[in-house]
Every structure is written in structure tokens, then in C-alpha cells.
Amino acid sequence: EPEVTQTPSHQVTQMGQEVILRCVPISNHLYFYWYRQILGQKVEFLVSFYNNEISEKSEIFDDQFSVERPDGSNFTLKIRSTKLEDSAMYFCASSEQGTYSGNTIYFGEGSWLTVV
Amino acid sequence: RKEVEQDPGPFNVPEGATVAFNCTYSNSASQSFFWYRQDCRKEPKLLMSVYSSGNEDGRFTAQLNRASQYISLLIRDSKLSDSATYLCVVNGPAYSGAGSYQLTFGKGTKLSVIP
């Protein structure tokens, strides 16, 4: 079964450092997402991406965050200057069509980011 | 703010028990509804979509009441492997109102099935 893959599975970084989380969505999917889950809290939407541009972003996704699709397979989330409160599990997801259609989205196994 | 609220749990039940989870959502414009399952420190995985007519998948039954903005999940004959956190997820208009949709997750209800 095709799956969304994410790297790294776990990263520890110092406060103020830049972090790039990488994702390979399912190959025929056109819509890509990042979600995050702070330990013990709910999964929160960060951003959706379609046709090489951001289609929606939440209030969490401020100027320190950016996303990019540098080539035909990777989808990255960059956090420019990490803060302690950025420590969380970051999930990449993809879907064949947009979620407006009720289409299923598939999550990767997550990248656990610890900011110290 | 558009929210999804769930029973806080945890639910500790013996094997073979029937357990019900409830969920309410605040955005009446929500279009589609789901139950996801999340194991500890793992990604959410789709358990089932929820339809107004109700739907059943083996031991799992989901119901949606749009008028009450209420969603339920019933697990019959619970197994040890059902132990997980169950997430109520609603797809509705994004905060920006720009016409796109996004998933909003409840905090989840933890289920522990005990031998």
C-alpha cells in the first residue's frame, strides 16, 4: 500500500536554529498538508498546498514557517528560528483530491521535533 | 472559533464490552465527518467516514446527527487491539473563509481494553 514517508523521525535542535522536515507524499496525490500535535494535545492544521502554492494556512503558520516542493517528489516544512513551543510531532499528509470533497487524507508517521 | 469536542475519557473497559464515543462540532457548515484512530505516538489512521444514514463496518458503527451537530462511534465486542485514542474529525470551511476546507480534530478519547 502506498504511503507518505517522512524524515527525520526524530530531531533535536537548539532554540533559534532552523529545521527542515521532509516528506514524500503518495505519488499520484496532488494535495499536501502539514499538521502538528503537541504532546498530549490535539492534532492541529498548519498548511495545505496545491499546484505549487499554499491554498490555506492556519493562524499557527506564521512567518517563521514555510513550505516548499523543491522537486517532483518532496514536500518540506521549514521552521526558521525554532522556539521551545515548536516542540511537537509534525505530520505530513497527502490526498488525491482536496478535502472539500470529503476525500481521505493519508498521514505519514510523523517527525518528532524537540527544541532545547 | 470552530471546534470539535469529545468525551475526555479515558475509557477502561473489559474485553467484549460495548463502548460508545460521542462528539459534537460547532461549525454547522461542516461537510464531512470521520473517526480516526491514533495509537500512542503514531499517526492518525482513518477508521471510518460517518454518514447521516449511519454506517457500519464490522464491530464499528458510526452515526451522524446534523441537526444536533453530533457524531457517535460504537464499538461492539471490544478487543485488546482496539486500545487506542479515537479522534473525531470534521471537514469544514477553513478559518480564512477563502473557500477551501480543512480538517479539524477533536482532542480524542483514550480507550483501554482490559483482559
Side-chain angles (χ1 to χ4, degrees), chain A residues 71-85:
Chain A
D71 53 43
S73 59
N74 290 286
F75 179 53
T76 62
L77 174 69
K78 181 189 289 185
I79 309 174
R80 284 191 190 81
S81 178
T82 49
K83 302 186 283 247
L84 295 176
E85 55 263 37

Side-chain angles (χ1 to χ4, degrees), chain A residues 84-102:
Chain A
L84 295 176
E85 55 263 37
D86 294 327
S87 296
M89 180 75 92
Y90 289 81
F91 293 109
C92 176
S94 69
S95 63
E96 194 170 354
Q97 298 178 32
T99 56
Y100 62 87
S101 61

